[in-house]
């Protein structure tokens, strides 16, 4: 303890409260106490300034370590192995459920209509997660379908349920590093249901949820990267009975997916684009 | 799905509970988005890129197997608590002595000797030789004693509340507050030495 500290420290009795003040952990009465003390105590005001500097310096984005892509892949692969082990378990025994799972697995390559059988669909979705390659090429579309199905089956359609764009848009703030546009299309017959975070193509993406009568539309949004080869060219695909539309707009990649037919989904997309702030 | 879970209940209970499609999807939606946060904590605790990967891999498997027990805590705090445990296991298995100075004694009121924390031949001036400010900050964080580094990382990089940090670190909220005070004081001290004019590498 021989090296002198450059600046005089704060009043000992106040240091904990200053930290709590900076971190927003104090109740209103203590906030007022701290502010009153700060007004008359340069040492504490200086200490608070230094704490704020520490926050600014430490919380820079480049200071945060990010998981290497290889780690992400191996975690996803390990989880898939866990799942296949959990699902494969009953195959060892000739029980009813084992036979069912076995039949489902055998059917899987040709499986097209499974999502209309709700009681089996969850099992199928679990298998789907195991079978799908994690990324790249057309597997992105499979992931999008899986994401859409997951949101319907897991009853996890929205993290923020609101038909108000001014509630949904700010909800994404701070959770992801981009800001998806949220537009109100109720007048066009596509009321907003809410928003959600999802996981597609190895990254966290925004999912906007709209409804059309009894149908759900998931719009997955993320920053356009090297995969943004489609520039405002609308790509429509059909897969597993779902329609997918892909477009890129203002640096963001969009994938709309629904069991609506292509004409209706196209209509949704055009309304969406038209409603975007210009 | 309750039926499915009940029927193949012969496996180890921890590996079996809740492993239906819905739970898997819930895990993907709630826990997987915190992979970066998990790696960040593992990397700062272990200060070893390879070990951090092993720790995170281990943590995700443990998290998946005990997902049925998840409740209350925020998903991020829950996962980070598991990462912290996995790091402790790794540290024990590798019998690795902490490379930085042990946490200095004191009640958190006495000024600490910041220079004594600079080991491995680093000096505040040598930190300036790092290419970017972020690299200097990382190096400096790595020099903080582990309990202080941990609270600072959980607070400033993972933005956990005091209550969440307390649960992750397994200490009372009051301890979180005093460690955070000491961590910030030490960091400010070291930083001002590395950049005497207060304006470090731009
Ligand atoms: Zn004071």
């Amino acid at each position: 303890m021989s090296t002198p500290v450059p600046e005089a420290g704060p009043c000992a009795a106040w240091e904990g409260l200053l930290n709590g003040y900076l971190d927003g952990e104090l109740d209103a009465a203590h906030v007022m106490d701290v502010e009153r003390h700060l007004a008359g105590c340069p040492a504490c005001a200086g200490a608070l300034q230094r704490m704020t500097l520490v926050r600014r310096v430490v919380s820079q984005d480049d200071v945060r370590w990010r998981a290497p892509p290889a780690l992400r892949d191996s975690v996803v692969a390990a989880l898939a192995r866990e799942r296949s082990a959990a699902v494969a378990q009953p195959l060892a025994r000739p029980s009813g459920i084992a036979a069912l799972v076995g039949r489902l697995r055998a059917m899987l390559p040709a499986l097209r209509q499974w999502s209309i059988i709700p009681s089996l669909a969850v099992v199928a979705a679990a298998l789907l997660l195991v079978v799908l390659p994690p990324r790249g090429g057309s597997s992105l579309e499979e992931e999008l379908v899986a994401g859409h199905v997951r949101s319907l089956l897991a009853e996890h359609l929205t993290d923020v349920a609101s038909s108000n764009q001014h509630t949904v848009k700010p909800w994404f703030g701070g959770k992801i590093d981009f800001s998806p546009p949220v537009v109100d299309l109720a007048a066009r017959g596509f009321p907003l249901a809410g928003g959600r975070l999802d996981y597609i193509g190895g990254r966290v993406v925004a999912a906007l949820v709209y409804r059309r009568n009894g149908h759900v539309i998931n719009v997955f949004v993320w920053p356009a990267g090297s995969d943004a080869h489609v520039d405002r060219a609308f790509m429509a695909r059909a897969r597993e009975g779902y329609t997918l539309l892909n477009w890129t707009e203002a640096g963001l990649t969009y994938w709309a997916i629904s069991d609506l037919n292509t004409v209706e989904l196209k209509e949704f997309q055009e309304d969406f684009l038209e409603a975007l702030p210009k | 799905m309750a039926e499915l879970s009940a029927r193949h209940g012969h496996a180890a209970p921890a590996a079996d509970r809740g492993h239906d499609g819905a739970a898997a999807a819930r895990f993907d939606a709630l826990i997987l988005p915190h992979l970066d946060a998990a790696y960040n904590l593992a990397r700062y605790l272990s200060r070893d890129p390879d070990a951090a990967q092993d720790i995170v891999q281990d943590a995700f498997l443990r998290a998946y197997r005990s997902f049925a027990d998840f409740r209350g805590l925020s998903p991020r705090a829950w996962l980070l608590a598991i990462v912290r445990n996995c790091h402790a296991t790794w540290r024990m298995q590798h019998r690795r002595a902490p490379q930085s100075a042990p946490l200095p004694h004191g009640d958190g009121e006495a000024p600490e000797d910041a220079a004594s924390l600079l080991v491995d031949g680093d000096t505040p001036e040598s930190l300036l030789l790092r290419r970017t400010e972020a690299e200097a900050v990382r190096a400096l964080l790595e020099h903080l004693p582990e309990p202080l580094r941990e609270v600072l990382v959980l607070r400033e990089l993972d933005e956990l509340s005091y209550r969440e940090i307390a649960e992750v670190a397994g200490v009372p909220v009051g301890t979180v507050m005093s460690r955070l005070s000491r961590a910030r004081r030490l960091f400010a001290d070291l930083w001002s030495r590395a950049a005497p004019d207060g304006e470090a590498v731009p």
Side-chain angles (χ1 to χ4, degrees), chain A residues 181-276:
Chain A
V182 183
V183 293
D184 183 2
L185 300 173
R188 306 300 198 107
F190 298 105
L192 180 65
R196 177 180 86 247
L197 293 184
D198 214 312
Y199 195 75
I200 301 286
R203 65 163 298 152
V204 179
V205 305
L208 308 175
V209 183
Y210 290 86
R211 288 186 186 278
R212 173 66 163 240
N213 303 323
H215 305 274
V216 169
I217 305 168
N218 268 296
V219 185
F220 296 100
V221 190
W222 63 86
S226 51
D227 58 337
H229 41 79
V230 216
D231 189 32
R232 287 213 70 161
F234 304 145
M235 235 174 65
R237 296 285 181 83
R239 188 179 275 275
E240 316 278 1
Y242 295 103
T243 310
L244 291 98
L245 278 179
N246 171 227
W247 70 93
T248 303
E249 168 72 25
L252 294 176
T253 291
Y254 295 81
W255 283 89
I257 176 167
S258 173
D259 58 349
L260 287 172
N261 65 46
T262 311
V263 174
E264 282 181 297
L265 192 59
K266 198 83 173 56
E267 188 189 325
F268 164 81
Q269 184 208 29
E270 281 160 10
D271 290 343
F272 186 94
L273 280 172
E274 204 182 307
L276 286 180

Side-chain angles (χ1 to χ4, degrees), chain A residues 3, chain B residues 47 99-104 112-124 139-140 142-146 148 182-183 185-187 189-190 193:
Chain A
T3 314
Chain B
R47 295 177 295 191
Q99 287 163 358
S100 70
L103 181 60
E112 276 147 356
D113 183 359
S116 74
L117 295 168
L118 293 171
V119 293
D120 301 344
D122 253 327
T123 65
L140 220 157
E142 290 191 353
H143 279 96
L144 296 184
E146 190 172 302
L148 303 190
R182 298 171 72 188
R185 194 161 5 106
L186 261 177
F187 189 97
D189 188 7
L190 292 168
R193 285 154 189 251

Side-chain angles (χ1 to χ4, degrees), chain A residues 10-11 14 18 37 41-45:
Chain A
C11 308
W14 288 89
L18 288 176
H37 179 77
C41 177
C44 283

Side-chain angles (χ1 to χ4, degrees), chain B residues 75-109:
Chain B
R76 174 180 288 222
W78 181 73
L79 178 65
L80 293 183
I82 295 173
V83 168
R84 186 180 188 274
N85 288 339
C86 290
H87 168 257
T89 306
W90 170 82
R91 170 66 58 74
M92 254 166 49
Q93 281 167 352
H94 292 77
R95 299 182 190 284
R96 188 169 294 211
Q99 287 163 358
S100 70
L103 181 60
H105 293 294
D107 52 9
E109 310 302 334

Side-chain angles (χ1 to χ4, degrees), chain A residues 19 23 25 63 67 74 82, chain B residues 36 44 57 65 162 184-185:
Chain A
N19 280 273
D23 293 319
E25 296 270 353
V63 172
S74 75
E82 280 285 302
Chain B
D36 279 330
Y44 273 116
Q57 180 98 16
R65 288 170 185 162
Y162 286 5
R184 284 179 170 142
R185 194 161 5 106

